[in-house]
Amino acid sequence: MRFSETGFNLEIDLSTGNVERVETDPGLTELHLGGLGTNARLLWDRVPPDVEPFSPDNLLILSAGLLVGTHAPGANRTIVSTISPQTLFMAYSMMGGFFAPELKHAGYDKVIIRGKSPKLTYLWINNDKVEIRDASHLRGKGACETAELIRRELGEPKAQVAAIGMAGENRVFFASIEHGRSSASRLGIGAVMGDKGLKAIAVRGTKDINIARPAEFMEFCNGVLKYIEVRDKKPVPGVMPILAGLGSPQEMKLIDEEWHTTNFMWGNSRTRRRDFWTKEIEEKWRGTQESVRKRLISCHNCPMKCGATISAPGVSTYMMKCFSKLTYTMAAYSDLDFGFRIAQRATEYGVDAYSAPQVMAFGLELREAGILSEQDMEGMPSDNEGKFYWLLDRIVRREGIGDVLADGTYWAAKRIGKGADAYAHNNIKKHEQLPLKLGMLNPVYFLMYSTGEKSNITQIEGQFPQAPFATKEEREDFVKDWIHVPHERFKQYLLDWEFRGERSNPYYPTVEMSCEIVDWQEMMHYIDDALGMCAGLSSFPLKPPYHVHNYPQIISAAAGIDIDEAALTKITRRNRTLVRAVNNRRGLTRDDERPPEDHWKKRFPELEAKLLDEYYKFKGWNKRGIPTRESLCGLGLDDVAEDLAKRGMLTPEEGVPPPQGSVG
Amino acid sequence: MKAEKKKRIVKTIRVDVDKCNGCRACEVVCSAFHASPKYSSNNPERSRIRVIHEPLRDIYVPVYAGEYSAAECAGRDKYTIDGKDYDECAFCRASCPSRPLFTEPDSGLPLKCDVCESDPPLDEPMCVQWCLNDALVYEEREEEVEEEAATREELETGLESLANKYGMQKMLDTVARISKKG
């Protein structure tokens, strides 16, 4: 019997219509846990670097994590991996909700999709029965609408559906996969799904998920819930309200958006409005939010309420969470009512709420600058909000200028020319970033922005405060119950970190400390992504219930593989390194690892170079950001080392096999 | 004979549908608690509580599994509360042929909530313990009931109706035959 996982993947070839239930190797679970880890292994093994994102040979993998569907609170994430049409590197967006647990109950850890269907189809997974069904009647339908239609058509109200909207069908480079309140949005995975001719996946499962050591495991689960109850009553003082508690930033619950609206940039990540937030705005936005918000909602088996059902007059009901509340509002210099309304349409179309608003604001800037002509924008209304709706409608249909903008700011600027690339100023690895422009370089954030393989800061940051606390008392108070640190010395790093003076940014935390802090934060995300645990209960908020010290026991009790902290660290390092290798093989090097030039006003080229040098060394990578043979073999990735060496990607001295006995 | 007063505990789970966030932790933990060995697996399909939910219509109704019914009701109920239409049988606890709820997925046998009966007893049923949003709250109260009298009255009514339906003689014969079997 397999514990915590089902031990089976579902392999679908949409070109031939072949469907197979394939037993997986338990050894791979021991090496990679599951989720992102095993996804990376599949992409390494089966998608060679010459495979284009829109090739039938590209895989689209929807994976549950190892703990998904067990009683562990918050273990509900679907980890979607493929090759991104935008970055051309590995994409691994994720979503919460109910899809992954249902998939596990249907008897599968992953759905692996290859090939391309000549007709638009959807997949119906009903326990052992799997059908590829015609979806031509769903073409052009919204993502939420599609889910409802499929449930009705199947007569299965309990089926969980993940679907693309028009954006995915038309291969928009920032198209998402939508699933109720959740979406796997980043890096254009919806476009790959659309390219494969797959409109949706519906799943229904009624099988058990087994636990290796039930009593022990249950005690941990009870402990996690107890901790959440206590922690919920103790918000971290001295940080902005949306980051003081657990879960995703609680933007559906809270009205106070002073921090985002006065610190993040408006428009095409351009203008900071320091005095935007007033009592008047707060009252107005409170009125808007409370009138459209019907209920705060949760994902599978999680007490947090990060999502909400939104029902604005005149538009159909949808669900939302987190920062998408503000991205359209801020890109358009508009207000919250507009944000809630356009997000409804954007959700049905299925676009990433980080990229899409910026792409539209970028288009409007180009028009203002005269780089795009009046003809390019022919028919565009004159009012500000109207422009955004108009652009969104064109982008998802790839009509006219929409076809150019649908590739995202980087590729659109290339196609447009005439200096447009100066306006695509907020990208890392060709991917639009959160609209943040700051003053002083923060060494920890420099490393995270540069090297984060997901090209999204929220997917690497979390465990270490974003800024120093103002007073010594606050710092001492904070570290008192900071049981989460991997080592006591991290407490000292925080205690000594100040706003000004010798021990402040950019030279403090020191290069060495910064490497450790980044590595810890990233490690937590990689553990979560292998387990399918929501970052909101683990890697993202300060002082979460899951951490590096209790995870090994929880995983062991659930899955029956005995690991300690050292073993978990090694598995995580293996997964992290493998993702890097997949991307190195596709051309990723140090040159790609650059935050936007204008992210900070004050830059320190020498320090930045040193940070990268030392961090690469710390990670076991060479100066170009490629894992060395020694580190690959040390992680049991000898075949990866062999492949990289054959491609000439390891320099001769790094290609030398390690001395006998050091492998393992 | 004077009716005897007896004390009994009435166990109630107060369900506040406005507080339900649809996380289904109650389903998860219920099925885990009733697994054998305890907590060795989970499967909401085996749960004795189900959250009937339709997010886009803002409908969330946790319902407990009650009595098994061999036949479905002759008529169905449809409620409208605060302008929201609830589906037929949305508030019904029965495990019955009209809907795929509260039956073991393997055997098809009916499921019924036992308020997590166990030895030693739990302070609260697991679904309540795991509902941190207090949509489910456990309450116990003591009631005094005149058990004997009530039983007699019920028995008499029951027998009368049987006698009406089958005739007195047929009923008496049957009682005699059953009592012989011992």
Side-chain angles (χ1 to χ4, degrees):
Chain A
M1 189 192 275
R2 302 280 279 265
F3 295 106
S4 195
E5 60 182 349
T6 67
F8 289 92
N9 289 339
L10 191 58
E11 298 260 6
I12 313 273
D13 188 328
L14 288 173
S15 299
T16 61
N18 192 51
V19 174
E20 265 177 88
R21 181 170 170 268
V22 181
E23 190 163 3
T24 58
D25 172 8
L28 279 178
T29 310
E30 286 176 27
L31 285 172
H32 301 284
L33 296 178
L36 174 63
T38 34
N39 281 7
R41 188 71 232 186
L42 282 165
L43 288 178
W44 174 268
D45 287 342
R46 288 167 52 179
V47 184
D50 54 343
V51 171
E52 302 284 335
F54 293 146
S55 152
D57 295 333
N58 187 11
L59 296 182
L60 176 70
I61 309 169
L62 286 89
S63 177
L66 180 60
L67 287 184
V68 166
T70 69
H71 349 324
N76 54 42
R77 306 283 282 176
T78 310
I79 297 97
V80 191
S81 306
T82 187
I83 303 300
S84 161
Q86 193 182 39
T87 64
L88 307 175
F89 298 133
M90 178 172 167
Y92 45 116
S93 206
M94 297 172 292
M95 62 187 186
F98 298 85
F99 185 87
E102 199 72 31
L103 183 67
K104 292 260 290 250
H105 285 300
Y108 313 98
D109 297 315
K110 295 182 200 293
V111 190
I112 303 165
I113 296 149
R114 63 179 185 276
K116 248 185 222 201
S117 164
K119 285 194 315 186
L120 195 63
T121 55
Y122 77 89
L123 203 57
W124 169 221
I125 305 166
N126 185 7
N127 288 319
D128 296 335
K129 219 173 103 200
V130 180
E131 290 171 47
I132 301 171
R133 297 174 66 114
D134 177 48
S136 46
H137 58 302
L138 298 171
R139 183 177 297 282
K141 296 274 190 250
C144 308
E145 197 187 353
T146 297
E148 290 299 306
L149 288 169
I150 287 178
R151 272 193 282 266
R152 211 172 306 154
E153 171 174 320
L154 297 171
E156 255 303 346
K158 289 196 204 119
Q160 298 295 342
V161 181
I164 55 169
M166 212 187 279
E169 287 177 36
N170 292 323
R171 308 198 307 185
V172 173
F173 283 11
F174 42 91
S176 58
I177 298 175
E178 298 283 332
H179 164 58
R181 85 238 28 232
S182 311
S183 61
S185 294
R186 303 290 279 158
L187 297 159
I189 51 172
V192 175
M193 188 155 155
D195 180 66
K196 297 207 170 295
L198 188 61
K199 177 71 179 172
I201 303 175
V203 60
R204 174 83 179 106
T206 59
K207 298 184 190 182
D208 297 348
I209 291 160
N210 299 305
I211 301 300
R213 300 202 288 271
E216 191 187 331
F217 182 64
M218 190 60 186
E219 214 177 303
F220 283 118
C221 296
N222 281 326
V224 163
L225 284 179
K226 289 233 163 62
Y227 182 94
I228 292 172
E229 261 190 304
V230 175
R231 172 73 175 76
D232 227 24
K233 294 185 186 97
K234 275 176 44 184
V236 176
V239 302
M240 41 285 193
I242 56 159
L243 293 180
L246 296 174
S248 291
Q250 295 293 296
E251 297 187 67
M252 296 296 106
K253 183 166 134 200
L254 300 172
I255 309 292
D256 183 348
E257 286 290 0
E258 177 168 13
W259 184 67
H260 273 136
T261 55
T262 64
N263 282 290
F264 282 51
M265 297 288 145
W266 294 65
N268 178 27
S269 192
R270 290 293 186 192
T271 324
R272 186 165 169 192
R273 299 166 85 183
R274 280 171 201 273
D275 43 14
F276 174 80
W277 192 255
T278 59
K279 272 266 154 290
E280 221 170 275
I281 293 280
E282 181 162 356
E283 277 324 295
K284 191 173 174 216
W285 285 26
R286 179 186 305 282
T288 303
Q289 187 156 328
E290 285 174 356
S291 74
V292 303
R293 185 185 65 200
K294 294 298 160 231
R295 186 185 294 255
L296 292 173
I297 51 176
S298 312
C299 294
H300 179 85
N301 194 21
C302 177
M304 304 312 299
K305 294 167 277 187
C306 308
T309 315
I310 304 292
S311 195
V315 297
S316 54
T317 305
Y318 70 107
M319 292 174 269
M320 172 190 256
K321 65 171 170 39
C322 203
F323 189 49
S324 37
K325 169 181 153 189
L326 292 185
T327 51
Y328 294 95
T329 296
M330 291 178 69
Y333 296 95
S334 186
D335 67 5
L336 189 58
D337 181 62
F338 166 73
F340 278 129
R341 283 168 182 281
I342 194 169
Q344 186 273 333
R345 197 181 290 187
T347 303
E348 290 286 10
Y349 284 155
V351 288
D352 174 20
Y354 282 10
S355 287
Q358 270 183 68
V359 170
M360 296 190 279
F362 158 84
L364 292 175
E365 266 191 359
L366 292 183
R367 173 70 199 99
E368 267 166 48
I371 294 173
L372 288 179
S373 68
E374 214 177 315
Q375 287 77 38
D376 289 327
M377 303 295 203
E378 207 184 330
M380 183 167 75
S382 55
D383 69 300
N384 183 42
E385 280 84 7
K387 287 177 184 170
F388 275 79
Y389 281 112
W390 186 86
L391 279 171
L392 182 62
D393 289 348
R394 282 191 171 58
I395 287 169
V396 300
R397 291 175 176 81
R398 282 192 175 273
E399 277 171 15
I401 193 64
D403 182 43
V404 179
L405 295 175
D407 291 351
T409 57
Y410 174 87
W411 296 107
K414 284 242 174 299
R415 265 170 82 177
I416 295 165
K418 303 181 209 163
D421 53 347
Y423 295 80
H425 68 112
N426 199 37
N427 298 331
I428 297 176
K429 296 165 186 152
K430 311 178 178 69
H431 190 49
E432 294 81 12
Q433 300 298 304
L434 276 178
L436 262 169
K437 302 292 159 197
L438 303 163
M440 175 57 76
L441 181 100
N442 173 329
V444 172
Y445 271 77
F446 169 80
L447 282 179
M448 293 197 293
Y449 274 115
S450 301
T451 64
E453 216 90 16
K454 295 184 213 176
S455 306
N456 200 45
I457 194 67
T458 57
Q459 295 298 333
I460 181 168
E461 67 183 349
Q463 289 307 289
F464 201 82
Q466 299 189 6
F469 288 100
T471 65
K472 195 162 167 255
E473 289 69 43
E474 279 176 285
R475 281 172 232 152
E476 280 168 356
D477 194 49
F478 181 84
V479 302
K480 252 181 218 155
D481 59 354
W482 207 15
I483 53 167
H484 309 77
V485 288
H487 192 280
E488 284 297 301
R489 62 178 178 272
F490 285 81
K491 293 184 181 173
Q492 201 57 46
Y493 301 164
L494 187 75
L495 286 169
D496 292 342
W497 192 23
E498 291 173 342
F499 266 115
R500 277 174 198 83
E502 240 172 69
R503 289 199 298 258
S504 70
N505 292 341
Y507 294 105
Y508 195 96
T510 64
V511 172
E512 197 186 16
M513 292 170 194
S514 296
C515 292
E516 287 181 18
I517 294 168
V518 173
D519 187 63
W520 169 33
Q521 302 198 70
E522 183 170 73
M523 171 171 76
M524 295 320 298
H525 282 278
Y526 271 81
I527 298 173
D528 290 346
D529 301 349
L531 300 178
M533 182 58 68
C534 178
L537 287 185
S538 176
S539 47
F540 185 74
L542 295 163
K543 301 183 178 174
Y546 295 101
H547 47 81
V548 70
H549 306 302
N550 64 7
Y551 255 152
Q553 295 150 298
I554 294 174
I555 297 165
S556 302
I561 45 173
D562 284 300
I563 51 171
D564 55 13
E565 261 180 67
L568 180 58
T569 307
K570 189 170 179 182
I571 292 170
T572 311
R573 200 167 283 267
R574 180 179 300 122
N575 289 347
R576 173 51 187 120
T577 308
L578 189 55
V579 169
R580 165 98 347 188
V582 168
N583 285 337
N584 289 142
R585 200 166 65 161
R586 300 191 69 87
L588 175 82
T589 66
R590 183 178 182 130
D591 297 338
D592 299 290
E593 309 232 277
R594 283 212 291 253
E597 289 302 322
D598 57 356
H599 188 82
W600 295 279
K601 267 202 198 87
K602 293 182 188 159
R603 298 291 292 261
F604 300 81
E606 260 176 57
L607 172 66
E608 291 173 16
K610 190 161 178 227
L611 277 163
L612 273 187
D613 283 347
E614 291 305 311
Y615 184 68
Y616 285 171
K617 216 185 284 170
F618 186 94
K619 287 285 207 189
W621 306 342
N622 70 19
K623 285 208 165 191
R624 288 174 298 139
I626 300 167
T628 61
R629 177 184 288 271
E630 195 188 356
S631 73
L632 287 166
C633 295
L635 295 166
L637 298 171
D638 302 59
D639 60 322
V640 175
E642 238 14 89
D643 185 287
L644 291 181
K646 247 188 249 159
R647 291 171 196 277
M649 296 180 66
L650 302 176
T651 55
E653 110 214 53
E654 285 148 1
V656 174
Q660 286 292 311
S662 72
V663 179
Chain B
M1 192 172 86
K2 202 179 157 232
E4 235 178 281
K5 289 225 170 189
K6 276 199 168 175
K7 281 184 181 174
R8 63 170 189 156
I9 303 282
V10 179
K11 298 174 174 179
T12 307
I13 294 168
R14 183 185 290 276
V15 182
D16 185 341
V17 297
D18 290 337
K19 285 187 180 157
C20 178
N21 304 102
C23 75
R24 300 170 61 193
C26 51
E27 298 180 3
V28 170
V29 78
C30 173
S31 64
F33 177 84
H34 290 97
S36 180
K38 228 171 235 182
Y39 307 120
S40 62
S41 69
N42 98 68
N43 181 357
E45 201 61 16
R46 295 186 200 280
S47 172
R48 294 125 195 254
I49 176 171
R50 295 310 295 264
V51 182
I52 294 175
H53 59 288
E54 273 193 64
L56 293 178
R57 296 205 290 131
D58 194 41
I59 282 173
Y60 293 83
V61 189
V63 180
Y64 286 90
E67 285 305 323
Y68 165 71
S69 161
E72 57 189 283
C73 295
R76 305 260 177 104
D77 305 325
K78 226 173 163 170
Y79 286 85
T80 304
I81 304 171
D82 279 343
K84 281 187 269 184
D85 283 333
Y86 288 82
D87 274 358
E88 284 170 10
C89 319
F91 300 97
C92 179
R93 295 168 60 120
S95 162
C96 104
S98 77
R99 61 178 181 183
L101 267 190
F102 305 137
T103 46
E104 273 282 350
D106 301 332
S107 61
L109 290 172
L111 295 162
K112 185 180 170 187
C113 168
D114 59 359
V115 217
C116 290
E117 206 171 72
S118 67
D119 187 21
L122 305 181
D123 293 340
E124 291 181 329
M126 288 311 293
C127 56
V128 173
Q129 288 189 37
W130 273 42
C131 184
L132 299 196
N133 290 305
D134 292 337
L136 308 175
V137 174
Y138 184 65
E139 287 168 1
E140 267 181 13
R141 66 175 189 277
E142 220 174 52
E143 265 183 6
E144 280 195 339
V145 284
E146 293 178 1
E147 219 160 52
E148 190 66 12
T151 315
R152 279 201 172 191
E153 208 173 286
E154 268 171 39
L155 185 60
E156 241 166 65
T157 317
L159 288 177
E160 251 169 47
S161 76
L162 285 175
N164 288 341
K165 188 167 181 184
Y166 298 104
M168 182 63 85
Q169 196 51 50
K170 210 166 187 180
M171 190 187 78
L172 286 174
D173 291 349
T174 311
V175 171
R177 201 171 57 243
I178 291 171
S179 46
K180 258 186 214 161
K181 275 186 198 163

